């Protein structure tokens, strides 16, 4: 019945050793912790960043949108994964963290693969829709209470067969503890319920890092 291994320090160290990071990725991850201490825990783990890269490579995704840049650790992983012809657009309202991120990217060969948009994600998404932009891979890691809104809006920005990945869907286990009912936990719980039977997508939820849900958009039928 229970096959999962409980997370412990040996498992985390083993995952670290077996998921390779480039020197730039390692330097940026360490810079985040040096600058922000435990707040840097909000960036994806190395195995999550390796997983995102893997998804991008096997799907041959080239046009990536990210909501929630922070220090640009996941952004950098995706910019490396998209290869020469790909591009990552990353959105965050925080000028302070993203200016450090942009500075760091400049010290790598990947700065020209990344466009940073500073602003509230809801407004930026509306602008991208108005500009008729289409992405084939969208990584959503901004404010959790807006996940349902981001899902609905991002479906309009996603190519057929494109993939949306949501981070933090397990919310440190709070979603399955019915005694916890703060607004963020409730929002993620509602979001998880909302998408699980959605006919427009094929979806799966996995326990990696703080939990990720993958949604593949089905081909739109054209008559
Ligand atoms: C979990 S962090 C992103 C971590 C990053 N994806 C990584 O793994 O390296 C979430 C980020 O979302 C940003 N954010 C939160 N609400 C937002 C909003 N409404 N619009 C834009 N950015 C937002 C925060 O400023 C924060 O930097």
């Amino acid at each position: 019945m229970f096959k999962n291994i409980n997370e412990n320090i040996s498992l985390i160290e083993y995952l670290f050793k077996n998921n390779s990071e480039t020197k730039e990725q390692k330097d940026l991850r360490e810079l985040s912790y040096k600058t922000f201490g435990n707040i840097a825990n909000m960036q994806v783990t190395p195995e999550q960043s390796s997983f995102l890269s893997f998804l991008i490579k096997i799907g041959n995704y080239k046009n990536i949108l990210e909501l929630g840049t922070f220090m640009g650790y996941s952004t950098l992983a995706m910019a490396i994964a998209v290869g020469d012809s790909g591009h990552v657009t990353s959105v965050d309202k925080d000028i302070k963290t993203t200016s450090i991120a942009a500075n760091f990217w400049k010290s790598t060969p990947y700065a020209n693969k990344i466009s940073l948009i500073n602003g509230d994600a809801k407004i930026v998404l509306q602008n991208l829709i108005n500009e008729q932009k289409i992405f084939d891979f969208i990584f959503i890691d901004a404010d959790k209470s807006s996940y349902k809104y981001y899902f609905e809006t991002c479906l309009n920005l996603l190519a057929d067969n494109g993939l949306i990945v949501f981070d933090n869907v397990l919310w440190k286990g709070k979603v399955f503890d019915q005694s916890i009912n703060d607004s963020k936990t409730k929002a993620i719980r509602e979001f998880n319920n909302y998408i699980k039977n959605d006919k427009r997508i094929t979806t799966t939820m996995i326990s990696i890092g703080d939990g990720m849900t993958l949604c593949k958009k089905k081909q739109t039928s054209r008559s």
Side-chain angles (χ1 to χ4, degrees):
M1 174 73 188
F2 299 112
K3 286 185 99 171
N4 284 14
I5 302 167
N6 283 336
E7 190 151 289
N8 60 53
I9 193 69
S10 309
L11 172 63
I12 291 168
E13 281 170 6
Y14 193 72
L15 287 167
F16 255 56
K17 267 195 264 170
N18 287 286
N19 281 294
S20 55
E21 275 178 316
T22 63
K23 180 173 183 320
E24 291 100 343
Q25 287 172 290
K26 182 172 181 290
D27 288 349
L28 181 52
R29 182 167 50 75
E30 289 176 354
L31 175 66
S32 291
Y33 280 102
K34 221 197 261 163
T35 315
F36 291 105
N38 280 342
I39 294 171
N41 280 335
M42 72 175 168
Q43 67 196 0
V44 294
T45 62
E47 76 268 20
Q48 284 182 296
S49 101
S50 168
F51 183 61
L52 288 172
S53 305
F54 178 79
L55 290 174
I56 289 169
K57 286 178 187 166
I58 61 167
N60 198 26
Y61 298 117
K62 293 291 171 196
N63 203 4
I64 316 287
L65 175 66
E66 173 179 59
L67 304 185
T69 320
F70 182 49
M71 287 280 282
Y73 177 68
S74 50
T75 324
L76 180 62
M78 296 190 289
I80 295 170
V82 288
D84 288 344
S85 57
H87 197 83
V88 181
T89 301
S90 189
V91 180
D92 202 298
K93 62 181 182 182
D94 190 325
I95 311 278
K96 185 177 168 203
T97 56
T98 55
S99 60
I100 306 173
N103 242 340
F104 185 91
W105 298 330
K106 274 192 215 143
S107 71
T108 75
Y110 307 102
N112 66 345
K113 314 214 94 349
I114 302 169
S115 302
L116 173 67
I117 305 179
N118 277 129
D120 185 86
K122 287 188 178 171
I123 296 167
V124 174
L125 287 177
Q126 203 46 61
N127 292 341
L128 293 170
I129 286 174
N130 294 344
E131 292 160 20
Q132 302 191 314
K133 290 277 184 352
I134 292 291
F135 300 89
D136 50 18
F137 186 98
I138 303 180
F139 177 47
I140 299 188
D141 193 17
D143 52 313
K144 314 304 160 192
S145 38
S146 302
Y147 269 22
K148 195 167 146 189
Y149 177 90
Y150 292 148
F151 171 66
E152 285 299 337
T153 314
C154 285
L155 274 185
N156 297 316
L157 286 164
L158 190 68
D160 284 353
N161 294 315
L163 197 65
I164 307 182
V165 179
F166 290 89
D167 194 20
N168 306 106
V169 295
L170 295 177
W171 205 229
K172 299 176 186 74
K174 292 182 191 174
V175 282
F176 48 84
D177 182 341
Q178 296 303 325
S179 69
I180 301 177
N181 283 300
D182 61 88
S183 61
K184 283 186 187 164
T185 304
K186 272 168 57 181
I188 298 177
R189 200 180 278 144
E190 277 167 30
F191 166 75
N192 290 340
N193 272 329
Y194 181 73
I195 60 162
K196 71 179 176 201
N197 295 317
D198 194 303
K199 300 276 180 285
R200 296 167 293 175
I201 52 168
T202 306
T203 183
T204 186
M205 176 193 274
I206 56 167
S207 174
I208 178 172
D210 194 23
M212 284 178 145
T213 291
L214 280 55
C215 308
K216 184 155 190 210
K217 185 176 174 180
K218 291 179 185 167
Q219 187 109 26
T220 317
S221 54
R222 294 183 180 89
S223 47

